[in-house]
mmCIF file of all heavy atoms in Angstrom:
data_model
loop_
_atom_site.group_PDB
_atom_site.id
_atom_site.type_symbol
_atom_site.label_atom_id
_atom_site.label_comp_id
_atom_site.label_asym_id
_atom_site.label_seq_id
_atom_site.Cartn_x
_atom_site.Cartn_y
_atom_site.Cartn_z
ATOM 1 N N ALA A 5 91.985 83.565 111.439
ATOM 2 C CA ALA A 5 91.994 82.171 111.904
ATOM 3 C C ALA A 5 90.707 81.464 111.492
ATOM 4 O O ALA A 5 90.730 80.305 111.058
ATOM 5 C CB ALA A 5 92.176 82.126 113.413
ATOM 6 N N GLU A 6 89.586 82.168 111.594
ATOM 7 C CA GLU A 6 88.298 81.603 111.183
ATOM 8 C C GLU A 6 88.309 81.217 109.710
ATOM 9 O O GLU A 6 87.713 80.227 109.306
ATOM 10 C CB GLU A 6 87.198 82.629 111.451
ATOM 11 C CG GLU A 6 85.810 82.140 111.129
ATOM 12 C CD GLU A 6 84.748 83.191 111.418
ATOM 13 O OE1 GLU A 6 84.943 83.995 112.348
ATOM 14 O OE2 GLU A 6 83.732 83.199 110.697
ATOM 15 N N TYR A 7 89.013 82.003 108.893
ATOM 16 C CA TYR A 7 89.095 81.726 107.459
ATOM 17 C C TYR A 7 90.281 80.850 107.082
ATOM 18 O O TYR A 7 90.551 80.651 105.900
ATOM 19 C CB TYR A 7 89.139 83.044 106.673
ATOM 20 C CG TYR A 7 87.863 83.847 106.775
ATOM 21 C CD1 TYR A 7 87.900 85.227 106.763
ATOM 22 C CD2 TYR A 7 86.626 83.230 106.875
ATOM 23 C CE1 TYR A 7 86.741 85.972 106.856
ATOM 24 C CE2 TYR A 7 85.466 83.966 106.977
ATOM 25 C CZ TYR A 7 85.517 85.332 106.964
ATOM 26 O OH TYR A 7 84.374 86.061 107.053
ATOM 27 N N GLY A 8 91.011 80.339 108.080
ATOM 28 C CA GLY A 8 92.114 79.425 107.804
ATOM 29 C C GLY A 8 93.348 80.091 107.222
ATOM 30 O O GLY A 8 94.112 79.457 106.498
ATOM 31 N N LEU A 9 93.573 81.357 107.539
ATOM 32 C CA LEU A 9 94.691 82.094 106.956
ATOM 33 C C LEU A 9 95.883 82.250 107.895
ATOM 34 O O LEU A 9 96.887 82.836 107.512
ATOM 35 C CB LEU A 9 94.221 83.480 106.499
ATOM 36 C CG LEU A 9 93.195 83.474 105.373
ATOM 37 C CD1 LEU A 9 92.602 84.856 105.185
ATOM 38 C CD2 LEU A 9 93.834 82.978 104.082
ATOM 39 N N VAL A 10 95.772 81.730 109.116
ATOM 40 C CA VAL A 10 96.864 81.855 110.085
ATOM 41 C C VAL A 10 97.776 80.645 109.941
ATOM 42 O O VAL A 10 97.331 79.512 109.956
ATOM 43 C CB VAL A 10 96.328 81.961 111.524
ATOM 44 C CG1 VAL A 10 97.475 82.007 112.519
ATOM 45 C CG2 VAL A 10 95.436 83.174 111.672
ATOM 46 N N GLU A 11 99.046 80.932 109.787
ATOM 47 C CA GLU A 11 100.044 79.861 109.719
ATOM 48 C C GLU A 11 101.053 80.123 110.822
ATOM 49 O O GLU A 11 101.638 81.203 110.894
ATOM 50 C CB GLU A 11 100.721 79.850 108.353
ATOM 51 C CG GLU A 11 101.638 78.653 108.155
ATOM 52 C CD GLU A 11 102.139 78.580 106.732
ATOM 53 O OE1 GLU A 11 101.374 78.091 105.874
ATOM 54 O OE2 GLU A 11 103.269 79.016 106.482
ATOM 55 N N GLY A 12 101.242 79.149 111.703
ATOM 56 C CA GLY A 12 102.134 79.363 112.836
ATOM 57 C C GLY A 12 101.371 79.968 114.001
ATOM 58 O O GLY A 12 100.159 79.802 114.142
ATOM 59 N N ASP A 13 102.079 80.720 114.818
ATOM 60 C CA ASP A 13 101.485 81.265 116.041
ATOM 61 C C ASP A 13 100.828 82.621 115.869
ATOM 62 O O ASP A 13 99.973 83.008 116.659
ATOM 63 C CB ASP A 13 102.560 81.388 117.131
ATOM 64 C CG ASP A 13 103.074 80.030 117.570
ATOM 65 O OD1 ASP A 13 102.324 79.040 117.431
ATOM 66 O OD2 ASP A 13 104.218 79.965 118.053
ATOM 67 N N THR A 14 101.229 83.376 114.874
ATOM 68 C CA THR A 14 100.681 84.717 114.699
ATOM 69 C C THR A 14 100.244 84.924 113.257
ATOM 70 O O THR A 14 100.672 84.205 112.350
ATOM 71 C CB THR A 14 101.719 85.801 115.066
ATOM 72 O OG1 THR A 14 102.865 85.652 114.225
ATOM 73 C CG2 THR A 14 102.131 85.689 116.528
ATOM 74 N N TYR A 15 99.426 85.938 113.088
ATOM 75 C CA TYR A 15 98.920 86.261 111.753
ATOM 76 C C TYR A 15 99.588 87.527 111.244
ATOM 77 O O TYR A 15 99.600 88.556 111.915
ATOM 78 C CB TYR A 15 97.404 86.468 111.807
ATOM 79 C CG TYR A 15 96.816 86.971 110.517
ATOM 80 C CD1 TYR A 15 96.847 86.192 109.360
ATOM 81 C CD2 TYR A 15 96.218 88.222 110.441
ATOM 82 C CE1 TYR A 15 96.296 86.648 108.175
ATOM 83 C CE2 TYR A 15 95.655 88.684 109.258
ATOM 84 C CZ TYR A 15 95.711 87.893 108.134
ATOM 85 O OH TYR A 15 95.161 88.342 106.954
ATOM 86 N N ASP A 16 100.136 87.416 110.065
ATOM 87 C CA ASP A 16 100.714 88.563 109.384
ATOM 88 C C ASP A 16 100.051 88.642 108.012
ATOM 89 O O ASP A 16 100.241 87.745 107.180
ATOM 90 C CB ASP A 16 102.223 88.384 109.241
ATOM 91 C CG ASP A 16 102.890 89.548 108.533
ATOM 92 O OD1 ASP A 16 102.264 90.179 107.660
ATOM 93 O OD2 ASP A 16 104.059 89.825 108.843
ATOM 94 N N PRO A 17 99.238 89.677 107.760
ATOM 95 C CA PRO A 17 98.557 89.781 106.464
ATOM 96 C C PRO A 17 99.514 89.742 105.276
ATOM 97 O O PRO A 17 99.190 89.174 104.234
ATOM 98 C CB PRO A 17 97.829 91.127 106.541
ATOM 99 C CG PRO A 17 97.667 91.392 107.991
ATOM 100 C CD PRO A 17 98.871 90.787 108.653
ATOM 101 N N GLY A 18 100.700 90.323 105.435
ATOM 102 C CA GLY A 18 101.683 90.297 104.347
ATOM 103 C C GLY A 18 102.161 88.890 104.052
ATOM 104 O O GLY A 18 102.300 88.501 102.885
ATOM 105 N N ASP A 19 102.406 88.113 105.104
ATOM 106 C CA ASP A 19 102.815 86.719 104.912
ATOM 107 C C ASP A 19 101.693 85.903 104.278
ATOM 108 O O ASP A 19 101.936 85.078 103.391
ATOM 109 C CB ASP A 19 103.212 86.077 106.245
ATOM 110 C CG ASP A 19 104.531 86.608 106.782
ATOM 111 O OD1 ASP A 19 105.277 87.277 106.030
ATOM 112 O OD2 ASP A 19 104.811 86.346 107.979
ATOM 113 N N ALA A 20 100.466 86.139 104.747
ATOM 114 C CA ALA A 20 99.327 85.427 104.171
ATOM 115 C C ALA A 20 99.180 85.763 102.688
ATOM 116 O O ALA A 20 98.958 84.880 101.856
ATOM 117 C CB ALA A 20 98.047 85.786 104.930
ATOM 118 N N ALA A 21 99.347 87.036 102.348
ATOM 119 C CA ALA A 21 99.255 87.450 100.949
ATOM 120 C C ALA A 21 100.335 86.773 100.113
ATOM 121 O O ALA A 21 100.070 86.317 98.994
ATOM 122 C CB ALA A 21 99.366 88.966 100.830
ATOM 123 N N GLN A 22 101.538 86.686 100.645
ATOM 124 C CA GLN A 22 102.631 86.051 99.905
ATOM 125 C C GLN A 22 102.369 84.556 99.691
ATOM 126 O O GLN A 22 102.636 84.023 98.626
ATOM 127 C CB GLN A 22 103.978 86.267 100.602
ATOM 128 C CG GLN A 22 105.151 85.760 99.796
ATOM 129 C CD GLN A 22 105.198 86.343 98.385
ATOM 130 O OE1 GLN A 22 105.099 87.550 98.194
ATOM 131 N NE2 GLN A 22 105.340 85.493 97.376
ATOM 132 N N ARG A 23 101.825 83.886 100.724
ATOM 133 C CA ARG A 23 101.493 82.458 100.568
ATOM 134 C C ARG A 23 100.449 82.271 99.472
ATOM 135 O O ARG A 23 100.555 81.371 98.636
ATOM 136 C CB ARG A 23 100.981 81.880 101.888
ATOM 137 C CG ARG A 23 102.054 81.592 102.899
ATOM 138 C CD ARG A 23 101.554 80.736 104.050
ATOM 139 N NE ARG A 23 100.344 81.218 104.683
ATOM 140 C CZ ARG A 23 100.295 82.127 105.651
ATOM 141 N NH1 ARG A 23 101.416 82.677 106.099
ATOM 142 N NH2 ARG A 23 99.141 82.492 106.180
ATOM 143 N N LEU A 24 99.425 83.135 99.477
ATOM 144 C CA LEU A 24 98.385 83.031 98.459
ATOM 145 C C LEU A 24 98.940 83.353 97.074
ATOM 146 O O LEU A 24 98.620 82.672 96.097
ATOM 147 C CB LEU A 24 97.214 83.954 98.809
ATOM 148 C CG LEU A 24 96.420 83.548 100.052
ATOM 149 C CD1 LEU A 24 95.460 84.656 100.455
ATOM 150 C CD2 LEU A 24 95.686 82.240 99.839
ATOM 151 N N ARG A 25 99.793 84.373 96.995
ATOM 152 C CA ARG A 25 100.418 84.718 95.710
ATOM 153 C C ARG A 25 101.215 83.535 95.166
ATOM 154 O O ARG A 25 101.141 83.218 93.972
ATOM 155 C CB ARG A 25 101.335 85.926 95.873
ATOM 156 C CG ARG A 25 102.066 86.314 94.571
ATOM 157 C CD ARG A 25 103.069 87.433 94.788
ATOM 158 N NE ARG A 25 102.469 88.640 95.301
ATOM 159 C CZ ARG A 25 101.890 89.585 94.555
ATOM 160 N NH1 ARG A 25 101.828 89.443 93.247
ATOM 161 N NH2 ARG A 25 101.383 90.666 95.104
ATOM 162 N N THR A 26 101.951 82.858 96.045
ATOM 163 C CA THR A 26 102.738 81.696 95.620
ATOM 164 C C THR A 26 101.829 80.589 95.107
ATOM 165 O O THR A 26 102.122 79.968 94.072
ATOM 166 C CB THR A 26 103.611 81.190 96.788
ATOM 167 O OG1 THR A 26 104.510 82.245 97.158
ATOM 168 C CG2 THR A 26 104.407 79.955 96.401
ATOM 169 N N GLN A 27 100.705 80.355 95.791
ATOM 170 C CA GLN A 27 99.741 79.360 95.319
ATOM 171 C C GLN A 27 99.223 79.722 93.931
ATOM 172 O O GLN A 27 99.089 78.859 93.061
ATOM 173 C CB GLN A 27 98.562 79.250 96.280
ATOM 174 C CG GLN A 27 98.792 78.375 97.472
ATOM 175 C CD GLN A 27 97.509 78.255 98.280
ATOM 176 O OE1 GLN A 27 97.287 79.036 99.197
ATOM 177 N NE2 GLN A 27 96.673 77.307 97.923
ATOM 178 N N VAL A 28 98.925 80.993 93.733
ATOM 179 C CA VAL A 28 98.411 81.454 92.437
ATOM 180 C C VAL A 28 99.476 81.252 91.368
ATOM 181 O O VAL A 28 99.188 80.736 90.281
ATOM 182 C CB VAL A 28 97.962 82.931 92.513
ATOM 183 C CG1 VAL A 28 97.721 83.505 91.122
ATOM 184 C CG2 VAL A 28 96.719 83.068 93.384
ATOM 185 N N GLU A 29 100.715 81.637 91.660
ATOM 186 C CA GLU A 29 101.798 81.505 90.680
ATOM 187 C C GLU A 29 102.085 80.051 90.333
ATOM 188 O O GLU A 29 102.537 79.761 89.227
ATOM 189 C CB GLU A 29 103.055 82.191 91.204
ATOM 190 C CG GLU A 29 102.932 83.704 91.212
ATOM 191 C CD GLU A 29 104.087 84.409 91.894
ATOM 192 O OE1 GLU A 29 104.923 83.739 92.553
ATOM 193 O OE2 GLU A 29 104.152 85.654 91.775
ATOM 194 N N ASP A 30 101.800 79.125 91.257
ATOM 195 C CA ASP A 30 101.964 77.706 90.960
ATOM 196 C C ASP A 30 100.972 77.236 89.894
ATOM 197 O O ASP A 30 101.223 76.276 89.177
ATOM 198 C CB ASP A 30 101.786 76.862 92.226
ATOM 199 C CG ASP A 30 102.965 76.965 93.180
ATOM 200 O OD1 ASP A 30 104.041 77.478 92.774
ATOM 201 O OD2 ASP A 30 102.812 76.538 94.352
ATOM 202 N N VAL A 31 99.843 77.930 89.789
ATOM 203 C CA VAL A 31 98.822 77.578 88.801
ATOM 204 C C VAL A 31 98.976 78.416 87.537
ATOM 205 O O VAL A 31 98.818 77.915 86.425
ATOM 206 C CB VAL A 31 97.406 77.745 89.389
ATOM 207 C CG1 VAL A 31 96.338 77.454 88.344
ATOM 208 C CG2 VAL A 31 97.224 76.848 90.606
ATOM 209 N N SER A 32 99.289 79.707 87.699
ATOM 210 C CA SER A 32 99.414 80.599 86.546
ATOM 211 C C SER A 32 100.416 81.705 86.830
ATOM 212 O O SER A 32 100.210 82.508 87.742
ATOM 213 C CB SER A 32 98.063 81.234 86.208
ATOM 214 O OG SER A 32 98.221 82.214 85.201
ATOM 215 N N THR A 33 101.445 81.764 86.019
ATOM 216 C CA THR A 33 102.422 82.842 86.159
ATOM 217 C C THR A 33 101.952 84.115 85.463
ATOM 218 O O THR A 33 102.530 85.177 85.663
ATOM 219 C CB THR A 33 103.790 82.427 85.582
ATOM 220 O OG1 THR A 33 103.606 82.042 84.216
ATOM 221 C CG2 THR A 33 104.386 81.277 86.382
ATOM 222 N N ASP A 34 100.894 84.023 84.657
ATOM 223 C CA ASP A 34 100.389 85.178 83.916
ATOM 224 C C ASP A 34 99.314 85.958 84.665
ATOM 225 O O ASP A 34 98.934 87.040 84.238
ATOM 226 C CB ASP A 34 99.817 84.729 82.569
ATOM 227 C CG ASP A 34 100.886 84.156 81.663
ATOM 228 O OD1 ASP A 34 102.039 84.624 81.744
ATOM 229 O OD2 ASP A 34 100.570 83.250 80.876
ATOM 230 N N ALA A 35 98.806 85.399 85.760
ATOM 231 C CA ALA A 35 97.718 86.057 86.477
ATOM 232 C C ALA A 35 98.210 87.292 87.222
ATOM 233 O O ALA A 35 99.306 87.306 87.779
ATOM 234 C CB ALA A 35 97.085 85.081 87.460
ATOM 235 N N GLU A 36 97.386 88.334 87.206
ATOM 236 C CA GLU A 36 97.641 89.514 88.038
ATOM 237 C C GLU A 36 97.078 89.190 89.423
ATOM 238 O O GLU A 36 95.941 88.742 89.530
ATOM 239 C CB GLU A 36 96.898 90.728 87.490
ATOM 240 C CG GLU A 36 97.302 91.154 86.111
ATOM 241 C CD GLU A 36 96.379 92.249 85.578
ATOM 242 O OE1 GLU A 36 95.900 93.079 86.381
ATOM 243 O OE2 GLU A 36 96.137 92.243 84.364
ATOM 244 N N PHE A 37 97.853 89.421 90.468
ATOM 245 C CA PHE A 37 97.403 89.121 91.826
ATOM 246 C C PHE A 37 97.236 90.408 92.605
ATOM 247 O O PHE A 37 98.099 91.278 92.565
ATOM 248 C CB PHE A 37 98.418 88.209 92.530
ATOM 249 C CG PHE A 37 98.022 87.834 93.928
ATOM 250 C CD1 PHE A 37 97.082 86.845 94.155
ATOM 251 C CD2 PHE A 37 98.588 88.480 95.016
ATOM 252 C CE1 PHE A 37 96.710 86.499 95.439
ATOM 253 C CE2 PHE A 37 98.228 88.137 96.314
ATOM 254 C CZ PHE A 37 97.283 87.148 96.523
ATOM 255 N N ARG A 38 96.112 90.527 93.292
ATOM 256 C CA ARG A 38 95.918 91.691 94.141
ATOM 257 C C ARG A 38 95.198 91.274 95.412
ATOM 258 O O ARG A 38 94.504 90.259 95.435
ATOM 259 C CB ARG A 38 95.182 92.803 93.413
ATOM 260 C CG ARG A 38 93.770 92.489 92.992
ATOM 261 C CD ARG A 38 93.189 93.562 92.106
ATOM 262 N NE ARG A 38 92.632 94.670 92.862
ATOM 263 C CZ ARG A 38 92.065 95.728 92.298
ATOM 264 N NH1 ARG A 38 92.002 95.838 90.987
ATOM 265 N NH2 ARG A 38 91.576 96.694 93.032
ATOM 266 N N THR A 39 95.398 92.051 96.451
ATOM 267 C CA THR A 39 94.729 91.791 97.722
ATOM 268 C C THR A 39 93.900 93.000 98.121
ATOM 269 O O THR A 39 94.195 94.129 97.739
ATOM 270 C CB THR A 39 95.735 91.483 98.846
ATOM 271 O OG1 THR A 39 96.603 92.598 99.017
ATOM 272 C CG2 THR A 39 96.544 90.224 98.535
ATOM 273 N N GLU A 40 92.874 92.723 98.859
ATOM 274 C CA GLU A 40 92.042 93.745 99.485
ATOM 275 C C GLU A 40 91.980 93.395 100.962
ATOM 276 O O GLU A 40 92.088 92.228 101.341
ATOM 277 C CB GLU A 40 90.636 93.762 98.883
ATOM 278 C CG GLU A 40 90.604 94.060 97.397
ATOM 279 C CD GLU A 40 91.075 95.463 97.045
ATOM 280 O OE1 GLU A 40 90.872 96.394 97.855
ATOM 281 O OE2 GLU A 40 91.656 95.629 95.955
ATOM 282 N N SER A 41 91.790 94.385 101.816
ATOM 283 C CA SER A 41 91.740 94.163 103.259
ATOM 284 C C SER A 41 90.361 94.478 103.804
ATOM 285 O O SER A 41 89.672 95.371 103.312
ATOM 286 C CB SER A 41 92.751 95.066 103.969
ATOM 287 O OG SER A 41 94.059 94.733 103.585
#
């Protein structure tokens, strides 16, 4: 929440990762996307 990654009432890291992946794909479909926890 402090980093602005919560959408809705609860935080799901998988959902947050998917939202970020979608943002990345909107800019570049060739980029490799990875997450770290």
Side-chain angles (χ1 to χ4, degrees):
E6 183 180 329
Y7 294 147
L9 295 169
V10 177
E11 187 172 280
D13 294 334
T14 60
Y15 173 65
D16 180 328
D19 289 346
Q22 186 55 50
R23 283 193 309 275
L24 292 169
R25 178 185 301 275
T26 299
Q27 278 185 268
V28 167
E29 289 172 350
D30 287 346
V31 177
S32 173
T33 56
D34 295 327
E36 298 172 34
F37 181 79
R38 64 188 276 180
T39 60
E40 299 295 328
S41 296

